[in-house]
Amino acid sequence: MASTFTVHEASGYEQLMGRWSRKLAPAFVEFAGLAAGEKLLDVGCGTGSLTFELATRSEPVEIRAIDYAPAFVEAARQANTDPRVTIEQADATALPFGDRTFDRAMAMLVLHFVPDTPLAIREMRRVVRPGGVVAAVVWDHLGGMSGMRMIVDTIAMLSEGGRQLRNRYVFQPMMQPGEMKRAFVDQGLNNVAEDQLMVRMDYRDFDDLWAPIAAGEGPLGKFVGQLEAEELNRATAAVRDAYESGRPDGPRSFASLAWACRGIVP
């Protein structure tokens, strides 16, 4: 089952989101919890932000990581130096592991891109032992991503296509308050808890923000990549104006909130 996330180059993803997922990973691990000697699964590992954070914590005996995109799998494998870590290409809705294999299954910035989210949660529950933990975190695109909302709101003012992009972007699955918690409960997980995690996205200048999007990375990049030259120039100028906000180009910092959820396998 394909992911709805668009990736061209792992390096482009790193500039777009990987550097921020590395900032989010420690807070997510604290929320999800860990214990020594566990077997862990990272579902949708991307370039390895969560995978490698887990490897530094609580002495896990094994970490398995999967991603749907071959570009991510290759980049994470090249970055890996830990013999406890195995990274492979696989589908979040058809995990290639037996029942009750892991102590914890975690998904960071993944579930909103999986076409059948309930099935992905069900699969995570299936591969975790009774008493183990299933946990996930996704960005709050509607009310918690100030930098990205600046971009999509600006683009939405330019065309009907931009407005449709915003409608899709801010109402992706699992992003509304309580939505992921209800999904966990519906899949039979116990003691389900939800919380908000925050990081700041700090950019050197406008190009640091815009370059991976202009290169076609992610949902915004997919939209921008389909624009004609004149439309692209107009969008670039408008987003630049919003970023600069009447001041010289340079560093800007945006607060970014994510919804985190965890539950216990009965």
Side-chain angles (χ1 to χ4, degrees):
M1 179 175 292
S3 167
T4 60
F5 187 86
T6 301
V7 56
H8 295 293
E9 299 288 343
S11 58
Y13 172 81
E14 278 293 299
Q15 187 176 0
L16 175 70
M17 192 55 63
R19 50 183 167 168
W20 314 128
S21 61
R22 284 195 297 276
K23 293 181 71 171
L24 182 63
F28 179 43
V29 171
E30 289 296 325
F31 172 81
L34 281 182
E38 291 187 324
K39 294 183 178 180
L40 308 174
L41 174 63
D42 180 1
V43 177
C45 64
T47 53
S49 298
L50 176 60
T51 305
F52 301 137
E53 180 68 24
L54 290 171
T56 69
R57 303 290 193 103
S58 301
E59 299 182 0
V61 297
E62 182 181 15
I63 301 172
R64 303 295 293 269
I66 67 102
D67 201 278
Y68 190 81
F72 284 156
V73 172
E74 180 61 25
R77 284 175 173 169
Q78 290 183 3
N80 181 43
T81 59
D82 194 320
R84 299 170 300 172
V85 174
T86 302
I87 302 159
E88 58 194 293
Q89 195 278 334
D91 188 332
T93 62
L95 295 172
F97 307 109
D99 297 354
R100 305 181 177 189
T101 299
F102 299 97
D103 297 290
R104 298 175 199 262
M106 303 167 68
M108 187 171 75
L109 308 181
V110 172
L111 290 186
H112 50 311
F113 293 119
V114 178
D116 191 340
T117 304
L119 180 55
I121 298 170
R122 194 179 315 148
E123 275 291 275
M124 292 172 71
R125 175 191 162 171
R126 178 185 66 79
V127 301
V128 171
R129 64 167 174 80
V133 173
V134 172
V137 62
V138 300
W139 294 122
D140 178 2
H141 281 186
L142 177 64
M145 293 285 283
S146 57
M148 296 299 106
R149 279 303 301 267
M150 175 190 71
I151 297 173
V152 297
D153 287 341
T154 300
I155 291 175
M157 296 175 64
L158 302 179
S159 69
E160 176 59 29
R163 287 187 287 275
Q164 293 176 8
L165 165 71
R166 179 173 61 185
N167 293 347
R168 295 191 300 271
Y169 186 80
V170 302
F171 290 111
Q172 286 180 265
M174 301 295 109
M175 292 186 175
Q176 307 309 305
E179 185 180 5
M180 190 157 48
K181 183 176 182 179
R182 289 191 297 272
F184 272 44
V185 171
D186 288 347
Q187 295 306 317
L189 293 163
N190 294 337
N191 302 325
V192 178
E194 186 177 74
D195 203 354
Q196 296 179 62
L197 309 178
M198 190 193 84
V199 300
R200 296 199 70 90
M201 296 183 176
D202 301 309
Y203 298 96
R204 297 187 303 272
D205 52 27
F206 173 71
D207 285 341
D208 192 28
L209 167 72
W210 187 246
I213 296 171
E217 298 294 345
L220 301 184
K222 180 179 180 180
F223 175 83
V224 168
Q226 296 171 346
L227 296 177
E228 299 292 338
E230 183 176 345
E231 294 177 305
L232 176 58
N233 290 338
R234 186 180 177 209
T236 301
V239 176
R240 177 185 288 276
D241 184 63
Y243 177 89
E244 294 178 352
S245 298
R247 297 288 183 90
D249 190 12
R252 301 289 190 273
S253 182
F254 300 93
S256 299
L257 286 173
W259 291 109
C261 193
R262 67 173 182 264
I264 307 297
V265 176

